[in-house]
Amino acid sequence: VRVGDPARALTLARHLGEHEVLAVAIRPPTVPDGGARVRLSVRADHPHEALVALADALASARAAGLVPQRASS
């Protein structure tokens, strides 16, 4: 999930963690300046409930302003 700002990436990763979603903030110098993001891994063997929880956590993060309305390029 691209968010751009390193502080926002950390906050989003923390928010997702509070919703029991494992997410890692990726920040410069690993990515270019302005390219901070949160890395998620989804596997085919995740139970349906886990995917629903992920969707709910991302919706909550978007409502809180942690996920940009439109991804940056």
Side-chain angles (χ1 to χ4, degrees):
V1 179
R2 295 176 104 179
V3 296
D5 179 63
R8 181 183 264 184
L10 286 170
T11 302
L12 175 57
R14 200 171 308 119
H15 176 87
L16 294 173
E18 290 168 359
H19 288 83
E20 299 184 15
V21 173
L22 178 60
V24 178
I26 309 298
R27 301 165 290 148
T30 305
V31 295
D33 286 338
R37 61 198 73 193
V38 172
R39 183 171 293 153
L40 303 166
S41 294
V42 178
R43 299 187 326 245
D45 64 342
H46 272 114
H48 176 77
E49 296 79 15
L51 300 178
V52 170
L54 170 60
D56 290 345
L58 287 170
S60 168
R62 174 162 275 177
L66 299 176
V67 178
Q69 291 299 316
R70 185 173 187 158
S72 60
S73 55

